[in-house]
Each structure stands twice: as structure tokens, then as C-alpha cells.
Amino acid sequence: MSRTLTIPRPDDWHLHLRDGAVLRAVLPETARHFGRAIIMPNLVPPVVTGADAAAYRDRIMNALPAGMDFTPLMTLYLTEETDPEDVAAAHASGLVTSVKLYPAGATTNSASGVRDFDRVRPVLEKMAEIGMPLCVHGEVTDADIDIFDREAVFIDRVLDPLRRATPGLRIVMEHITTQQGVDYVKSNAENLGATITTHHLVINRNHILVGGIKPHYYCLPVAKREEHRLALRAAATSGDTRFFLGTDSAPHTDPNKESACGCAGCFTATNTLSILAEVFEQEGALDRLAGFTSEHGPAFYGLPVSTDTITLTKGDPAAYPPKIDTGDGPVTLFDAQMPLHWRVI
Ligand code: DOR
Ligand code: ZN
């Protein structure tokens, strides 16, 4: 028996589209289902100024196939040299939605990120003043901190002090991966939300390491123990409006993943909605899927919920191609290792 579920058209509040041939290949995978997405600025070189964001936005719109409707919500990459006035002007013009904070060295192309948080204080004060959100990659990079502890330590050492110093700043903790991340959001009513990825609802660290190393499950923040995955599933399916979808779909070509030093990132744009419907159904929370994918994010960002809808149907398991081709090489699609009965029609 087939069932259907109609929800407002979803948005992706954390997405990597890259540039050039990869952009052209992955953009339709998102635009097919999602109306808007927060576009990550970690290109080489990064999207730092309003002018950079305008040029990148044009490249995205030029790569959008005719007949597809999609709005990229641009972000600026915060550096210690970022000019608060440039940020404010880019926000006021409607070009840029938020600023992204990468601690230097935390992840892919984060070398230009922040080392000394005092040096970005004027930008953060300006953002608090104008109501512009900050998207935070929440991991410390100190060599002596175990990679599985980097998010929890970041909350104590960096995020909490930063929020106390700039209480009016609206912050999104991006791609939370831990019980501590969930608890921190829940214990802070004001100005704080969190995105959760599709893949962190599905995999724990065993998926990466047991039975041979699985580079396509390696991302940052790295997947944690099972108890953390369960905490994320509880948060995502709870209906709490502070948690919303940010896929962090992060394409890298196979040679860059399947390498002695493989890149971090899971590519989930194509099958995210099938996976999420399966997860929410497993949790008895299909009625809360729309909140997570389509309603909580716009509420946090002060944007309207889409008036368009998408419909999912339940039937025989969907078959997705294992890879998509790009002009730069194949990109492997995230394998959820379970039958996916729901598909967007
Ligand atoms: O897994 C990840 N991939 N995490 C990030 O923070 C960056 C992203 C990328 O750009 O590849
Ligand atoms: Zn990301």
C-alpha cells in the first residue's frame, strides 16, 4: 500500500556547492527538492567579501538548469581581516544571509579561519547590532584535544564565552554531533539554534572504522559514539524548533576521498529526503518531518516558510545511482545502508 506525505518545500541550512564542474553537477541534486540553501563559503580562495559573494552567487545562478527554481542564501567566510562595514552592507542589500566562522585548521579549506577570537570581535558586535546570524563550525583545533572531543570542548572553551561576550548575537551551531551539543542548545533559550545533518542521524563512528576504513563516511565533525547519534535523532525528531536540517552535503571526487589522506565530507543532496523520511518514520515522527526540513529553519532566520510543497510517497525501496558524474570525476552518494521506501515525486 502506498502512502503519501506532503510538506512545505524544504530548505537546506548548510550546503557545499563548490564551483565549476562540481557546482554544475551537484546544484540540480539540491535544487530538485530544496527551495533555498545556506551556501558555505569555503572555496579556494574563500568567499570573504560582499563582492566575492556577489560573484559566487552569479556563478551559482548561471549553473542552475533552466526551469529550476532555487535561491542561494549566501554566506561570508569570517577572517581576522573581515571588515564589519562590508559585512553590514552585504547583509543590508539582501545579498548575504549570514557569516561563517571556521576555527583555523578545523576542516576543509579553513586555513584562513579564525585563530584569535578577539580579532573578530568588531564584526561579531556589528552582526549582533544588525541581527545577522553567525554560523559556527564548533570544533577546537588544539593538537592535544582528541578529535572525538573537539565539539564538546569547543562549547566550553569558545562558544559559551563568545555568547556571553556578545549576548545579542544569533548563532547557529552547525552540524552538531554530540549529546553535549544537543544539551547546550536546549539549555539556552535565546538566540541559539543548531543544524543537524542527514548522515549524523544514520552513522556512528563504527560505520567509518569497523571492517575496513570507509572514506565516504568520513566527515567533520567526525561521527561519534552511538549514544550521540541517538541524542541527535531524538533532537531532530522532537519537534523542538531550535533544531533544523543542514545537510552539510559536501561533495569531493572519489580520488580525493579514496586516498591516503582523504577529504572530509558526505554527499547527501540526492537522497537526503528519502533518508530523513525513513528515519522520522522509524522514530514514529513523520508528522514532525516538515518542522525539521521546512519550518524551523525559516523561523530561526526570519524568513517565510515556502508556499510551495513537495510530496513523498512510500513504496518499493528507491534505487539511487551510487555515484554522480562531474566534469572533475565521480562523486559517491552517501549510502544509508538501509532500504529507502520514501521518495519525492
Ligand atoms: O565534512 C565536512 N566537509 N565538514 C566540513 O566542515 C567541511 C566540509 C567540506 O567542505 O568538505
Ligand atoms: Zn560544512
Side-chain angles (χ1 to χ4, degrees), residues 137-139 151 174-177 200 219-224 248:
H137 182 111
E139 290 191 286
E151 180 172 298
E174 300 283 48
H175 43 52
I176 55 169
T177 58
H200 288 116
C219 65
L220 288 171
V222 70
K224 310 294 193 296
D248 199 11

Side-chain angles (χ1 to χ4, degrees), residues 20-230:
V22 173
L23 166 64
R24 284 192 292 279
V26 301
L27 177 58
E29 300 301 300
T30 287
R32 193 176 298 135
H33 299 150
F34 293 86
R36 297 167 289 202
I38 287 274
I39 308 301
M40 287 297 125
N42 61 334
L43 305 181
V44 186
V47 178
V48 174
T49 64
D52 295 339
Y56 187 31
R57 188 180 194 286
D58 287 348
R59 299 201 295 281
I60 293 168
M61 294 315 286
N62 286 335
L64 189 67
M68 279 190 146
D69 178 25
F70 176 72
T71 304
L73 303 173
M74 306 308 292
T75 63
L76 298 179
Y77 184 121
L78 183 61
T79 74
E80 292 179 6
E81 280 73 48
T82 293
D83 173 6
E85 296 310 323
D86 181 61
V87 170
H91 186 250
S93 72
L95 170 68
V96 162
T97 301
S98 63
V99 169
K100 176 69 189 255
L101 186 163
Y102 289 104
T107 187
T108 310
N109 302 333
S110 60
S112 318
V114 178
R115 285 184 174 74
D116 178 355
F117 285 84
D118 287 338
R119 296 196 55 185
V120 296
R121 178 136 310 286
V123 181
L124 303 184
E125 301 284 355
K126 174 58 84 176
M127 291 171 63
E129 182 190 318
I130 63 178
M132 184 179 192
L134 178 72
C135 297
V136 176
H137 182 111
E139 290 191 286
V140 293
T141 55
D142 315 48
D144 61 327
I145 303 296
D146 189 280
I147 192 165
F148 292 99
D149 297 332
R150 288 180 169 199
E151 180 172 298
V153 173
F154 182 88
I155 292 168
D156 293 340
R157 286 196 192 165
V158 181
L159 183 61
D160 198 57
L162 188 148
R163 289 185 64 248
R164 286 176 197 283
T166 321
L169 183 62
R170 294 177 66 65
I171 292 183
V172 185
M173 289 174 71
E174 300 283 48
H175 43 52
I176 55 169
T177 58
T178 57
Q179 176 82 61
Q180 290 93 328
V182 170
D183 290 346
Y184 188 72
V185 172
K186 283 195 188 163
S187 64
N188 289 271
E190 290 287 303
N191 294 334
L192 186 64
T195 56
I196 299 177
T197 75
T198 307
H199 48 282
H200 288 116
L201 297 174
V202 175
I203 60 168
N204 63 33
R205 63 195 201 178
N206 280 17
H207 289 84
I208 312 169
L209 296 169
V210 171
I213 192 158
K214 312 288 186 336
H216 295 290
Y217 290 141
Y218 172 64
C219 65
L220 288 171
V222 70
K224 310 294 193 296
R225 288 177 180 276
E226 177 66 357
E227 67 203 52
H228 296 287
R229 185 184 75 99
L230 296 178

